[in-house]
Amino acid sequence: MNYEEMIKLAEKASENAYVPYSHFPVGACILTEGGKIYTGCNFENASFGLTICAERNAVGSAIADGERKIKAAAIFSPKMDNCTPCGACRQVLREFKSDEGLDIITKVPDGIKVYPIEELLPQSFIL
Ligand code: THU
């Protein structure tokens, strides 16, 4: 699975987003150390603060399946180029960074961009 394919799966996942309030669909696709793939979309709630982002939805599926090491996460929104994870999702993704690191992948007009998690969340908090 290459990073371009992961963006395509994130795009597909964004089609299931439940976004009646923001109208801002997001999809995420994460790759584990063992090569497994999990996807997620955002889903909102009438109580706005209960919204779950696409990235945390995908991470939850991986964790529920017993995974603990994430190598890469691709994020896609049809509404925004270079849609990077929000601060909360950066911290949640960082928790499960694989021993080889964790790349964040976004879609840009001429292809993809790849950010090591350290670039998006420097000096991160971890126990
Ligand atoms: N959202 C995500 O799913 N991931 C992010 O990293 C940024 C924000 C969602 C939350 C909400 O449903 C919509 O995008 C607008 O904030």
Side-chain angles (χ1 to χ4, degrees):
M1 174 72 53
N2 66 39
Y3 286 175
E4 282 80 8
E5 290 170 324
M6 288 178 65
I7 286 286
K8 286 207 174 70
L9 291 179
E11 180 173 8
K12 184 89 193 137
S14 75
E15 291 168 10
N16 286 333
Y18 174 75
V19 288
Y21 307 107
S22 74
H23 305 287
F24 190 88
V26 183
C29 173
I30 64 179
L31 172 70
T32 68
E33 206 163 61
K36 285 191 170 176
I37 290 285
Y38 298 88
T39 60
C41 59
N42 52 335
F43 60 99
E44 301 181 343
N45 191 275
S47 179
F48 298 160
L50 299 183
T51 289
I52 302 290
C53 290
E55 299 91 322
R56 278 178 288 153
N57 191 7
V59 169
S61 293
I63 296 305
D65 201 31
E67 298 293 329
R68 293 293 184 269
K69 301 278 189 183
I70 298 173
K71 275 172 71 171
I75 325 300
F76 177 89
S77 174
K79 295 286 184 76
M80 183 186 281
D81 290 328
N82 193 32
C83 183
T84 56
C86 75
C89 290
R90 292 178 195 202
Q91 177 69 24
V92 168
L93 285 161
R94 190 266 170 267
E95 182 81 18
F96 302 107
K97 180 174 87 163
S98 80
D99 300 337
E100 303 101 78
L102 200 173
D103 285 337
I104 305 293
I105 305 138
T106 67
K107 178 87 178 73
V108 289
D110 55 341
I112 62 169
K113 279 195 83 160
V114 180
Y115 303 92
I117 187 73
E118 290 78 10
E119 201 174 314
L120 298 184
L121 193 69
Q123 305 294 325
S124 64
F125 176 74
I126 193 78
L127 295 176

